[in-house]
Amino acid sequence: MKEYAVSQLRNVALVSHGGAGKTTLAEALLFGSGATKRLGNVDEGTSILDYDPEEIRRKVSISASVALAEWKGHKINLLDTPGYFDFVGEVKGTLRVADGAVITVCAASGVEVGTEKSWSFCQEYDVPKMIFINKMDRENANFYKTLDALRELYGTNIIPLQLPMGQAENFTGLVDLVRMKAYKLEAGKAVECEIPAEMADEVDSYREMLMDAAAVTDDELAMKYLEGEPLSQTEIEQAIGVGTQTGDLVPVLLGSAKQQMGVDFLLDYMVACLPSPDSSEVQGTDESGELVSIDPSDESPLCAFVYKTISDPYVGKLTMFRVYSGVFKSDSHVFNINQQVDERVGQVFLIQGKEQIPVSQVGPGDLAAVSKLQSTVTGDTLGTKDSLVKLPPISYPAPQASMAIVPKAKGDEEKIGTGLTRLMEEDPTLHVDKNVETGQTIISGMGDLHLEITTSRLKAKFGTEVELSVPKVPYRETIRGKVQVEGKHKKQSGGRGQFGHVWIELEPLDAEENFEFVDKIFGGAVPRQYIPAVEKGIRETMVEGVVAGYPVVNIRATLYDGSYHSVDSSEMAFKIAASMAFKKGFMEANPVLLEPIMNVEITVPESYMGDIIGDMNKRRGRILGMEPQDGLEIIKAQAPQSEMFRYGVELRSMTQGRGSFTMDFDHYEEVPAQIAEQVVADSKKEKETA
Ligand code: GDP
């Protein structure tokens, strides 16, 4: 593989709503550029980019993948990203290392939620963008309608560089407004032809729109244009490039990825209009936290950023990175600045879909991978000990759904634990927590599909089968009343008997205090040596719970009287007596269940506010406040955890994917009596079947 200077590289992310045709487009670009000899097909499972067995089975992209196309003296690293929200982590990682993006829009479906998301991710990461209106051959394809919708949403700086000749079943070619030429398109071929006479007016008016937009970015060009001087293709392309980079202009191209129509032009314009890796300044922080700019040259010290990790139980771990400065060499050492460890580097690879092309080194701006790094994870910066500059990590969205993992086979727990740890290394949006109160392992992620795929991967990669279930709520038990209660344990059986006898007072404590044991024995009614056993008996009962098997909290137990037997009393007997007293007293002292209440912050477009608030009421939620931010509304609320496990999924369907939320634990509150009854009944049933 030829080595390319940084100015000849393009790192281009392909983003879109799921199903708009990104993967097909990537395959078409690879085939069009000659990188592949055969056109991969997602429908037939022969895509070189969707190669994960889960991707082939489900026919959707799950993880971001990379492939490279060499085109007219340039190398384009294509980063295909998944379109479904569940895999947003992959999109974020990819956009971090992309210098430009192509947003693919389906000409028949027009602007979809995923299109809006793609747009806002590009904005968030400040990635210059182009739009490719795909599926021009599909029935109901409508270029102008799609274009108008885009312009209405995102402004009039969205400018077509091409107009279609016919559309849907009549789509035959395009007029290129930069070259001012028409082309008949056939699979992979473009044959120049006359601009159809009936298109003359619209071609003129869109050309003018394009020239006006291009002239804004370049004064000299503007002068020439105003004075009526002819402009070269290169001059116009350069101006479009500047405009694309500043965001003053978003070029729109069109075609059909599936029919291999218009794809070569897209390659041309990616090279001409999207920036090279050295065109904008990248900053990191040095040891003292100062911002420093990173020089994209071979001579500078190495600085590389890990944007993705793939773990495979057979091949090991594959670390994918982008070099920002210096040279990343095979058979060398690098220093992981985040983990502060030296890593031995073996063979460096370029990634072509599922294939790996060994290379001796990669330079600034380029993307590559290396296997078997020991400690490195996604988001780390790899450099040298002499230059400890760290790049900012990737920010991932908060989990939107949680489920409990239940092993299908007993004894698999350890294998599952190892598998989950590996999967978390490759997927930073996956979280695993062990809930000590309920004893469950909870996995949290971006949605149902994400969690489901996690279990498929556990099976495929680590050979362990699990089921998912709605997590148990970590309820707690406490009392509202004050009681005095007696516990007596007395057993006479042949030899030495058992005797323990206590009087205990139980009363509620403040929420901050879990348990207080008070010893008010005077005059030896309960001998000193048995008092710790009384406390222990109570504590052990508290852990097991009284009403429904949940731990008891916020309670004071005062031992104030009792009696003993000089021969038959023992620690064990007092422990049992205390436990009996506690259980009895607890039931008499107006017991209640407590449930975790979460702080919830929901971000939605204003039009959904009514629905969200209505739904929150149904979930026993309380709205605390609302405030507008960046054209959206932020709703602050509190709601019981039991009502919120599937909120992310339901919020998404209520808002067509436009809403998001974050949630964290705030405090415990009493469960309403009716619901508490159900919880108690459920726990009894569970005990019976266990
Ligand atoms: P992705 O989810 O955005 O990666 O979309 P895919 O590349 O998987 O494509 C989704 C579906 O659209 C597949 O069935 C493709 O065959 C189909 N498709 C993709 N591009 C075109 C196109 O240009 N024209 C037509 N008619 N279908 C297309």
Side-chain angles (χ1 to χ4, degrees):
M1 171 82 38
K2 190 177 149 203
E3 280 188 32
Y4 289 85
V6 62
S7 61
Q8 295 165 317
L9 295 174
R10 300 289 180 274
N11 294 314
V12 183
L14 302 176
V15 289
S16 82
H17 187 84
K22 262 178 332 288
T23 307
T24 306
L25 180 62
E27 297 288 348
L29 291 165
L30 292 173
F31 185 70
S33 70
T36 50
K37 295 283 161 287
R38 209 171 139 240
L39 186 58
N41 186 318
V42 282
D43 303 317
E44 289 159 18
T46 58
S47 163
I48 79 150
L49 288 157
D50 279 356
Y51 51 82
D52 181 307
E54 285 297 318
E55 296 183 316
I56 293 172
R57 188 159 74 81
R58 296 171 196 262
K59 294 205 171 69
V60 296
S61 309
I62 295 169
S63 62
S65 46
V66 192
L68 52 95
E70 295 178 281
W71 189 248
K72 299 186 179 167
H74 291 76
K75 184 168 98 174
I76 308 174
N77 289 314
L78 293 168
L79 295 139
D80 185 23
T81 60
Y84 288 89
F85 182 81
D86 285 58
F87 314 110
V88 56
E90 293 282 321
V91 182
K92 293 212 159 194
T94 302
L95 283 175
R96 251 307 285 281
V97 295
D99 302 299
V102 173
I103 302 177
T104 304
V105 183
C106 169
S109 312
V111 176
E112 297 170 90
V113 173
T115 322
E116 292 175 32
K117 291 243 175 226
S118 305
W119 183 278
S120 53
F121 288 148
C122 291
Q123 296 291 94
E124 183 185 334
Y125 284 96
D126 217 2
V127 177
K129 46 204 167 304
M130 273 169 122
I131 292 170
F132 184 73
I133 299 188
N134 186 34
K135 303 200 192 179
M136 281 303 300
D137 62 312
R138 228 191 90 172
E139 62 177 321
N140 299 323
N142 192 327
F143 176 80
Y144 293 99
K145 197 170 148 201
T146 306
L147 177 68
D148 290 346
L150 285 164
R151 287 171 65 93
E152 196 165 309
L153 259 179
Y154 300 118
T156 49
N157 59 343
I158 295 189
I159 308 282
L161 307 189
Q162 303 169 333
L163 298 177
M165 299 199 299
Q167 47 194 14
E169 53 281 5
N170 300 319
F171 177 57
T172 55
L174 57 82
V175 176
D176 185 294
L177 301 167
V178 177
R179 299 171 168 95
M180 277 306 267
K181 283 181 182 154
Y183 299 89
K184 257 194 168 3
L185 300 175
E186 276 160 36
K189 272 206 318 242
V191 183
E192 204 182 315
C193 61
E194 289 286 316
I195 295 178
E198 68 277 11
M199 286 181 70
D201 286 350
E202 56 188 313
V203 168
D204 282 347
S205 87
Y206 278 100
R207 161 86 174 181
E208 203 175 311
M209 184 194 273
L210 168 62
M211 294 310 297
D212 287 345
V216 172
T217 66
D218 185 335
D219 290 345
E220 224 173 281
L221 189 90
M223 287 299 286
K224 268 174 111 175
Y225 174 59
L226 286 175
E227 285 162 13
E229 280 185 49
L231 300 173
S232 74
Q233 183 184 332
T234 317
E235 278 175 314
I236 303 173
E237 282 176 356
Q238 266 168 3
I240 297 172
V242 174
T244 307
Q245 203 175 334
T246 55
D248 290 329
L249 197 160
V250 180
V252 180
L253 304 173
L254 63 92
S256 161
K258 193 163 186 177
Q259 313 290 345
Q260 195 70 24
M261 289 162 84
V263 172
D264 290 4
F265 290 109
L266 178 56
L267 286 165
D268 280 349
Y269 284 117
M270 279 179 179
V271 167
C273 304
L274 290 179
S276 56
D278 58 346
S279 51
S280 57
E281 193 191 14
V282 175
Q283 289 187 320
T285 42
D286 66 12
E287 273 167 290
S288 53
E290 294 286 314
L291 278 181
V292 288
S293 90
I294 290 159
D295 174 27
S297 102
D298 286 11
E299 276 81 54
S300 302
L302 176 71
C303 179
F305 181 77
V306 178
Y307 68 95
K308 184 176 163 76
T309 308
I310 302 175
S311 50
D312 186 295
Y314 307 107
V315 185
K317 198 162 84 173
L318 191 68
T319 300
M320 297 167 77
F321 58 87
R322 168 175 160 165
V323 180
Y324 281 85
S325 73
V327 177
F328 201 114
K329 294 191 173 122
S330 281
D331 305 315
S332 65
H333 285 260
V334 295
F335 189 70
N336 183 320
I337 296 163
N338 300 72
Q339 320 286 347
Q340 293 286 308
V341 288
D342 185 79
E343 289 269 28
R344 223 192 74 75
V345 173
Q347 181 66 56
V348 172
F349 302 101
L350 302 178
I351 300 289
Q352 182 69 311
K354 66 182 155 198
E355 266 146 46
Q356 304 176 347
I357 304 169
V359 287
S360 60
Q361 61 177 53
V362 279
D366 214 345
L367 305 179
V370 63
S371 62
K372 301 199 172 71
L373 293 189
Q374 291 296 321
S375 322
T376 300
V377 293
T378 303
D380 285 352
T381 303
L382 302 173
T384 66
K385 268 194 184 134
D386 318 321
S387 161
L388 299 173
V389 176
K390 206 170 9 177
L391 291 162
I394 304 165
S395 72
Y396 292 102
Q400 304 289 305
S402 298
M403 290 295 259
I405 277 215
V406 186
K408 274 197 185 162
K410 283 250 176 308
D412 257 9
E413 286 78 3
E414 204 182 311
K415 236 162 69 180
I416 293 169
T418 318
L420 286 173
T421 308
R422 286 283 115 74
L423 291 180
M424 279 200 291
E425 280 174 5
E426 73 176 52
D427 178 0
T429 59
L430 177 68
H431 303 264
V432 180
D433 294 298
K434 177 101 186 166
N435 186 311
V436 283
E437 282 185 25
T438 62
Q440 289 187 310
T441 299
I442 309 291
I443 59 170
S444 309
M446 303 317 299
D448 284 348
L449 186 59
H450 183 204
L451 299 183
E452 211 188 287
I453 281 174
T454 301
T455 66
S456 306
R457 287 194 167 149
L458 270 181
K459 185 174 172 202
K461 292 188 168 187
F462 303 96
T464 57
E465 287 200 60
V466 298
E467 271 169 8
L468 293 177
S469 68
V470 175
K472 285 189 199 151
V473 179
Y475 291 108
R476 290 177 179 176
E477 301 180 5
T478 193
I479 51 170
R480 290 288 181 244
K482 185 169 169 175
V483 290
Q484 295 192 327
V485 63
E486 181 184 28
K488 193 187 253 180
H489 179 58
K490 191 174 166 187
K491 238 183 191 169
Q492 218 63 54
S493 52
R496 195 182 155 200
Q498 295 178 35
F499 185 89
H501 177 211
V502 292
W503 276 94
I504 292 170
E505 181 176 87
L506 297 179
E507 63 194 311
L509 267 185
D510 287 348
E512 293 77 58
E513 288 172 85
N514 242 347
F515 177 57
E516 193 186 338
F517 179 73
V518 182
D519 166 16
K520 272 203 186 150
I521 295 292
F522 297 105
V526 176
R528 285 292 102 200
Q529 72 265 33
Y530 298 135
I531 290 177
V534 173
E535 180 172 350
K536 198 165 170 210
I538 294 173
R539 282 189 185 272
E540 285 181 8
T541 314
M542 285 176 68
V543 172
E544 286 164 16
V546 180
V547 179
Y550 295 101
V552 173
V553 294
N554 314 139
I555 205 161
R556 176 186 291 129
T558 307
L559 172 66
Y560 67 93
D561 203 356
S563 64
Y564 71 102
H565 186 279
S566 56
V567 179
D568 290 346
S569 278
S570 65
E571 281 184 16
M572 183 50 88
F574 271 98
K575 214 173 102 176
I576 294 171
S579 169
M580 285 163 64
F582 186 83
K583 282 186 186 157
K584 182 159 171 271
F586 194 86
M587 293 310 286
E588 289 167 7
N590 186 13
V592 292
L593 281 183
L594 302 177
E595 64 181 336
I597 303 292
M598 313 300 279
N599 272 324
V600 190
E601 208 173 288
I602 309 153
T603 309
V604 285
E606 207 205 315
S607 55
Y608 296 103
M609 293 263 287
D611 292 350
I612 298 299
I613 291 169
D615 173 76
M616 254 306 147
N617 287 332
K618 276 191 230 137
R619 293 175 196 271
R620 301 189 281 128
R622 272 190 302 268
I623 305 294
L624 304 181
M626 286 165 251
E627 55 188 70
Q629 194 183 78
D630 301 333
L632 297 168
E633 284 289 330
I634 297 182
I635 304 169
K636 293 196 171 141
Q638 286 192 335
Q641 186 186 36
S642 61
E643 305 283 339
M644 295 298 290
F645 286 120
R646 307 192 37 78
Y647 190 64
V649 177
E650 284 148 18
L651 175 67
R652 214 185 291 168
S653 78
M654 275 188 286
T655 61
Q656 280 80 50
R658 293 185 178 86
S660 62
F661 84 113
T662 59
M663 173 165 88
D664 54 22
F665 168 76
D666 194 65
H667 65 280
Y668 269 86
E669 241 172 59
E670 193 173 320
V671 180
Q674 228 182 345
I675 294 171
E677 264 171 41
Q678 189 59 48
V679 174
V680 174
D682 288 348
S683 100
K684 278 213 181 98
K685 215 188 285 160
E686 198 179 317
K687 242 193 210 146
E688 279 162 19
T689 53

